[in-house]
């Protein structure tokens, strides 16, 4: 992956009287990814705008197609005020004929899944003809620079009709989804976003405000990306779908510049590719409000914001998925389910509370009367769930959200180094499902987890299930034809699940003197690379403090003894985990180790209120490492340091108080 070295300039002079260039970014492209990389970045902003604008839930593509527009006619219209006619627009879906004489987009055409290529063609006809007659300057803005094309050559345009969906927010009225007509001109290197509004007759027309354009330039051997606004004085920011122009210049432009030169392709699908983003957003907000009180009474030591809202998100996804399934099958009876693994049981509680029937599993491993088997972070059960579903009944489906990697007999061992471990394991689970005769689908959930790709069965493809050759590592005979072979005895003799209590391996169980020895050794290595800074001391005089140098994890490891490294290697994470655990002393960023400067720590923004950090309760409960070990002492005066400068400042921690009070 190559990062973009870019600089965003401030608001530039108007390119024409009706437009202004907000900013321009110069791109470093050592891997020669441009101009293709620019269009890949535009595709991210088109299809997944929420990755840049956190106030959005996503976007839905309603229709796409192509059209042609003669440049010569545009210039003639600008000079004489004449209407530049359209030549041979061709907006269609694969296998469809060109639309002729169709009316404009009516009030029903904007509904999800109800926009055809004919509708898009009619919309483009009306929009372009209206602009040519009433606003040729905007039409010229859409056409962009010629980029060396012939003056008389028709200009080929790619059209996308999309709906931008805001994220539901209980603190302010819900901003309605907004439609946009996106015009992409590959020849000119431009993509223009035209906001649409509905008139009294239900037709969609272009608004004269909030029109902006992304443009790729190539000049004197260098690439640039610009963002331009048509009629800046008409820009109206709603703070959600249309942020302030400064956001386009400072946030969107920098992200596009980075995406354009990233030499990386995602191994996973876009989030929520199989369900309606709009319905998901609305239902998720409803359930989040309904179950938000669980955060206040969460009994576990885990982060309630992460686990409660993650299960709310999974439940939202399943409820919409099952609603679509009922509509497709023409039934109204809600699906039954069994959650195998269950976790903390919250997902079962939410689904049950929303009217979905549940069955308490017994000692049996088959569930012939159940519609869906769920594996939410189900660990060892994950590869078994497709097998259990196939053997339970012909109609049983399943949903798995893998987390830890297990095959049928224990830990999953990697077989393909060219893929990430998570991608390889998902492919293994998909292969098991296919071997059991299921029609597999994969989606990426919108949850606060790096492991959020889910696999599920979309129902059998044919009148009966068929089985391929068994998946690698799959016990012989499990994927029998039809998927309903009776189970007799143990499916895998000798199978042994994990012990109920696993040994903690996060370096916390290492002896304290060993940890202190490694911390001091690493700190001395960093302090040898002297980097002296001067600041005011407690009494007002100037004080010099050595903040040390920077070393990579590999360089640090090379200085440690083989015995020390071997001892650390037996712990999950090893050296890096130990250094991160000692965050009072070290900062580990991008594989580089630094001495932590607490002056900068205290200047940083306070964490959100939702985080369960309790600084008042841990203040002065540990001795300051710098006060004891750093040659220049602590960089902070005692009153400002969160740690104790000497035994006389030590306070009893809340945990110690509770232990003393316990009978």
């Amino acid at each position: 992956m190559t990062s973009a070295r870019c600089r965003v300039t401030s608001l530039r002079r108007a390119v024409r009287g009706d437009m202004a260039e907000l900013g321009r970014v110069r791109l470093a492209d050592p891997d020669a990814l441009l101009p293709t990389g620019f269009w890949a970045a535009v595709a991210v902003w088109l299809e997944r705008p929420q990755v840049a604008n956190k106030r959005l839930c996503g976007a839905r593509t309603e229709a796409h197609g192509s059209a042609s527009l003669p440049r010569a006619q545009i210039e003639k219209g600008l000079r004489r005020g004449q209407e530049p006619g359209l030549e041979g627009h061709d907006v269609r879906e694969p296998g469809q004929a060109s639309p002729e004489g169709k009316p404009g987009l009516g009030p029903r055409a904007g509904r999800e899944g109800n926009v055809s290529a004919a509708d898009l063609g009619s919309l483009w006809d009306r929009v372009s003809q209206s602009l040519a007659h009433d606003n040729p300057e905007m039409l010229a803005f859409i056409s962009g620079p010629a980029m060396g094309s012939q003056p008389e050559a028709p200009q080929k345009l790619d059209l996308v009709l999309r709906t931008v969906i805001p994220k539901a927010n209980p603190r302010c009225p819900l901003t309605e989804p907004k439609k946009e007509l996106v015009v992409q001109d590959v020849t000119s290197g431009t993509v223009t976003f035209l906001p649409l509004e509905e008139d009294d007759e239900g037709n969609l027309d272009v608004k004269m405000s909030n029109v902006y354009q992304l443009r790729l330039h190539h000049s004197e051997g260098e690439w640039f990306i610009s963002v331009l606004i048509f009629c800046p004085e008409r820009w109206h920011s709603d703070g959600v779908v249309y942020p302030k122009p400064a956001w386009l210049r400072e946030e969107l432009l920098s992200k596009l510049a980075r995406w354009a030169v990233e030499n990386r392709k995602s191994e996973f699908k876009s989030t929520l590719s199989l369900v309606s983003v709009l319905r998901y957003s609305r239902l998720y907000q409803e359930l989040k409000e309904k179950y938000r009180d669980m955060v206040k009474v969460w009994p576990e030591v885990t982060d309630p914001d992460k686990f409660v809202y993650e299960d709310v998100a999974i439940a939202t996804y399943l409820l919409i998925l099952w609603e679509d399934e009922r509509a497709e099958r023409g039934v109204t009876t809600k699906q039954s389910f069994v959650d195998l693994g269950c976790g903390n049981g919250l997902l079962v509680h939410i689904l049950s509370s929303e009217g979905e029937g549940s069955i308490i599993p017994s000692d049996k491993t088959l569930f012939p009367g159940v519609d869906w088997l769920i594996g939410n972070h189900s660990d060892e059960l994950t590869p078994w769930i497709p097998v259990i579903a196939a053997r339970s009944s012909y109609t049983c489906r399943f949903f798995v959200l893998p987390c830890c990697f297990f095959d049928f007999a224990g830990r999953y061992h990697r077989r393909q180094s060219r893929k990430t471990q998570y991608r390889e394991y998902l492919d293994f689970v998909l292969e098991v499902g296919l071997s059991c005769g299921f029609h597999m689908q994969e989606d990426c959930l919108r949850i606060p987890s790096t492991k959020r790709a889910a696999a599920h069965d979309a129902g059998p493809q044919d009148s009966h299930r068929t089985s391929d050759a068994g998946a690698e590592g799959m016990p012989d005979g499990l994927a029998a034809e039809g998927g309903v072979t009776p189970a007799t005895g143990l499916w895998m003799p000798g199978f042994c699940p994990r012990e109920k209590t696993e040994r903690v391996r996060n370096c916390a169980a290492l002896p304290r003197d060993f940890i202190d020895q490694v911390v001091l050794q690493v700190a001395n290595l960093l302090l040898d690379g002297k980097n002296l800074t001067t600041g005011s001391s407690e009494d007002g005089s100037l004080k010099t403090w050595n903040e040390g140098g920077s070393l990579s994890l590999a360089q640090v490891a090379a200085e440690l003894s083989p015995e020390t490294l071997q001892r650390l290697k037996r712990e999950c994470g090893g050296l890096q985990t130990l250094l991160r655990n000692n965050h009072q002393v070290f900062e580990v960023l991008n594989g580089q180790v630094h001495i932590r400067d607490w002056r900068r720590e205290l200047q940083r923004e306070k964490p959100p209120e939702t985080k369960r950090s309790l600084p008042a309760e841990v203040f002065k409960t540990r001795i300051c490492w710098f006060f004891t070990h750093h040659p220049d002492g602590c960089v902070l005066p005692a009153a400002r340091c969160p740690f104790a400068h000497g035994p006389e400042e030590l306070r009893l921690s809340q945990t110690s108080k509770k232990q003393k009070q316990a009978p």
Side-chain angles (χ1 to χ4, degrees), residues 329 368 370-371 389-397 437-438 457 459-466 482-484:
R329 297 187 176 202
V370 172
D371 295 315
R391 288 198 162 192
S392 292
S393 73
Y394 169 73
T395 59
C396 186
R397 286 87 70 195
F438 290 102
D457 168 45
Q461 288 177 294
D462 303 311
S463 58
H464 66 282
R465 284 211 182 104
T466 58
V484 292

Side-chain angles (χ1 to χ4, degrees), residues 538 543 545 584-585 596-599 601-602 615-616 618-628 633-646 649-651:
E538 195 168 354
K543 177 182 178 181
W545 194 76
Q584 180 196 165
V585 185
R596 189 175 295 275
D597 188 339
W598 279 90
R599 293 170 297 186
E601 292 297 319
L602 297 182
V618 299
F619 191 73
K620 300 290 187 183
T621 58
R622 293 176 59 189
I623 290 288
C624 175
W625 184 93
F626 296 98
F627 178 81
T628 306
C634 181
V635 72
L636 296 175
R640 295 185 61 213
C641 182
F643 303 94
H645 284 198
E649 290 189 6
L650 272 176
R651 295 171 58 247

Side-chain angles (χ1 to χ4, degrees), residues 504-511 515 567-568 571-579 581:
V504 176
R505 296 194 303 145
N506 61 358
C507 291
L510 291 170
I515 295 175
R567 197 169 183 180
L568 291 172
E571 300 291 321
C572 291
L575 175 62
Q576 182 171 215
T577 299
L578 184 141
L579 298 177
N581 287 350

Side-chain angles (χ1 to χ4, degrees), residues 216-279:
L216 179 68
H217 315 256
H218 190 256
S219 176
E220 298 180 356
E222 291 189 315
W223 290 99
F224 300 88
I225 298 179
S226 297
V227 58
L228 303 94
I229 287 182
F230 184 79
C231 290
E233 67 278 4
R234 294 181 180 175
W235 186 272
H236 171 69
S237 174
D238 61 9
V240 182
V241 177
Y242 299 109
K244 294 180 180 180
W247 185 89
L248 296 176
R249 179 181 69 243
E250 297 166 7
E251 298 292 334
L252 178 60
L253 198 53
S254 61
K255 286 182 171 62
L256 289 168
R258 176 167 57 85
W259 298 338
V261 294
E262 280 184 346
N263 192 5
R264 180 171 62 113
K265 291 185 68 176
S266 174
E267 297 178 311
F268 307 100
K269 291 191 174 184
S270 300
T271 57
L272 309 181
S273 62
L274 300 178
V275 299
S276 163
V277 176
L278 179 58
R279 288 163 56 206

